[in-house]
Amino acid sequence: MAEIGVGMLGYAFMGKAHSNAYRTIEYLTWPPPLVPKLVGIAGRNEQAVDEAATRYGYEYATTDWRDLVADERIGLFDNGGPNSLHAEPTIAAAEAGKHVLCEKPLGRTATESYDVWQRVAATGVKHLCGFNYRFVPGVRLARELIEEGRLGEIRHFRARYLQDWGDDPTLDTWRFHPDEAGSGALGDLGTHVIDLARYLVGELASVSGLVKTFVEGRQVDDALEAAVEFESGAVGTIEATRLALGRRNAFQWEINGSEGSLYFDMERMNELQVFRADGDDRVRGFRSVLVTESKHPFMEHWWPPGHIVGWGDTFIHEAYHLLKAIAEDGDVEPHGATFEDGYRASEIAEAIVRSSAVGRRETLSFRTL
């Protein structure tokens, strides 16, 4: 079986999740489309990145991501570093002929995201932006049901991504520094909601938003609320915050159509709530579907029905999808988010900020290559 060398930028949260995915793909998805070979990992802290290389199984560690770009054994550059390190290393790797996976948000601004997309697309390599929630089995099943017309005309999308870890005013992480993060809850959580809205319902046409910072002295946003309209005519709401006490990772969304509805909660990620209007009125209500059957999305690689999968497994599905596109020279889209999707999410996020600043609805427009 053919191998592909992997170079990883970032050793903490995303570095751990992505490295675990490559290690697991090698044996779980047998035979894998390509066998990931963990070659090098880069990070700013020498001791921490050395420990990560040993822990995850990389051949070497480095404090300079340029070493990964220059390494001819590496065919896939995976960027899980801070947002400020998304653009330059990703572009450099693509221009060196390496396929690239970059975590979201693609850039700190829409312009930076557009530049990444434009320059990487020009190289012809495969590129995927890390919106891993597209690879949740329940989300993929929802997409299938919508495409099959099971919900009829889509009318409403409402979603919220709530966490509570940002409520501590003493926390000091790069995610609270605008030069490194770009934005706060908007780029961290809100872009996930934006991308999922686009993936399930379609392109957005306009937004009306409110962006707010609550923690004194903090220079990035703590929360956002937005009313949105889709090109299809559907309407919706988007909400995200890192100050919702008691909510650990509550990514919850609902879609209402003329013939049915869907509801999903990431904290119960193996379940999809389904309502069909053609059911018996005597037992009217949502039905809980455990998305673990052999015919459900991604289940061909996993356990018998009822034996659930977890959050970290979404990165396995995501990386497998990219490796298959590389091996077969196939398309990353529509199920994988391309760098164009990453750019569009950033453009929508900035429109929400502009709307909040001027107090009026913003009509969306997108740049093209």
Side-chain angles (χ1 to χ4, degrees):
M1 291 180 290
E3 292 184 336
I4 185 168
V6 176
M8 177 71 65
L9 173 55
Y11 53 80
F13 184 23
M14 285 298 105
K16 181 178 182 179
H18 289 215
S19 298
N20 175 70
Y22 293 122
R23 292 293 299 271
T24 307
I25 282 171
E26 184 175 352
Y27 61 84
L28 185 75
T29 65
W30 191 262
L34 292 168
V35 177
K37 183 179 181 182
L38 304 188
V39 178
I41 185 169
R44 292 179 288 187
N45 183 302
E46 183 175 4
Q47 180 180 352
V49 75
D50 283 343
E51 291 174 351
T54 301
R55 179 180 182 182
Y56 304 145
Y58 288 89
E59 294 180 11
Y60 68 87
T62 178
T63 56
D64 190 343
W65 56 262
R66 294 171 183 83
D67 294 337
L68 305 180
V69 173
D71 194 332
E72 294 183 354
R73 296 175 299 163
I74 292 174
L76 171 60
F77 183 83
D78 189 318
N79 191 337
N83 300 349
S84 57
L85 286 176
H86 283 183
E88 185 183 1
T90 299
I91 292 169
E95 291 180 344
K98 304 182 192 305
H99 304 289
V100 286
L101 191 165
C102 183
E103 264 303 323
K104 44 58 59 185
L106 189 58
R108 290 166 293 179
T109 66
T111 296
E112 187 173 70
S113 297
Y114 176 74
D115 187 52
V116 176
W117 170 38
Q118 183 181 42
R119 293 179 64 179
V120 170
T123 69
V125 302
K126 304 297 181 187
H127 49 89
L128 185 146
C129 188
F131 287 109
N132 62 299
Y133 292 113
R134 291 185 177 214
F135 294 90
V136 173
V139 170
R140 184 64 58 83
L141 179 59
R143 165 93 178 208
E144 292 178 2
L145 295 173
I146 292 168
E147 288 184 330
E148 292 168 7
R150 298 289 191 92
L151 269 61
E153 177 192 19
I154 303 301
R155 295 168 173 167
H156 309 285
F157 171 87
R158 56 184 65 84
R160 60 183 193 172
Y161 199 161
L162 311 178
Q163 295 180 350
D164 65 359
W165 64 271
D167 195 54
D168 183 351
T170 67
L171 280 176
D172 186 21
T173 167
W174 66 263
R175 295 182 186 275
F176 295 142
H177 296 277
D179 58 332
E180 293 189 83
S183 64
L186 179 59
D188 188 16
L189 306 180
T191 52
H192 270 304
V193 187
I194 291 167
D195 181 72
L196 199 74
R198 296 183 63 247
Y199 179 62
L200 293 178
V201 181
E203 194 58 81
L204 277 72
S206 67
V207 299
S208 179
L210 286 172
V211 179
K212 183 83 171 180
T213 300
F214 291 97
V215 177
E216 185 177 355
R218 187 165 290 170
Q219 299 180 59
V220 297
D221 59 275
D222 286 322
L224 68 106
E225 308 281 343
V228 303
E229 182 179 16
F230 295 85
E231 290 182 351
S232 66
V235 296
T237 57
I238 288 172
E239 176 184 6
T241 184
R242 299 184 292 205
L243 304 184
L245 297 183
R247 298 297 185 185
R248 305 302 288 161
N249 193 43
F251 190 0
Q252 302 159 336
W253 54 262
E254 182 170 324
I255 297 174
N256 308 124
S258 59
E259 297 180 18
S261 296
L262 302 173
Y263 172 76
F264 177 84
D265 182 350
M266 189 62 202
E267 291 183 342
R268 302 181 67 88
M269 67 167 284
N270 288 270
E271 300 176 14
L272 180 65
Q273 303 294 320
V274 181
F275 173 77
R276 290 277 297 161
D278 57 3
D280 188 337
D281 283 345
R282 295 170 298 174
V283 289
R284 190 176 180 89
F286 279 86
R287 180 167 63 94
S288 179
V289 177
L290 189 62
V291 190
T292 60
E293 297 296 325
S294 60
K295 293 183 178 180
H296 283 151
F298 310 112
M299 288 301 113
E300 69 269 21
H301 300 306
W302 289 104
W303 322 118
H307 296 70
I308 60 178
V309 300
W311 174 87
D313 300 326
T314 64
F315 296 97
I316 298 172
H317 304 156
E318 180 181 70
Y320 177 89
H321 179 84
L322 178 58
L323 293 178
K324 188 174 181 181
I326 294 169
E328 299 177 358
D329 193 23
D331 295 328
V332 169
E333 67 273 12
H335 295 304
T338 66
F339 282 5
E340 180 178 8
D341 293 307
Y343 152 68
R344 290 192 172 220
S346 294
E347 194 75 77
I348 294 166
E350 284 197 1
I352 292 173
V353 174
R354 290 197 304 272
S355 173
S356 179
V358 301
R360 66 169 180 263
R361 186 174 175 181
E362 286 281 315
T363 299
L364 292 164
S365 62
F366 300 101
R367 287 167 268 188
T368 59
L369 292 180

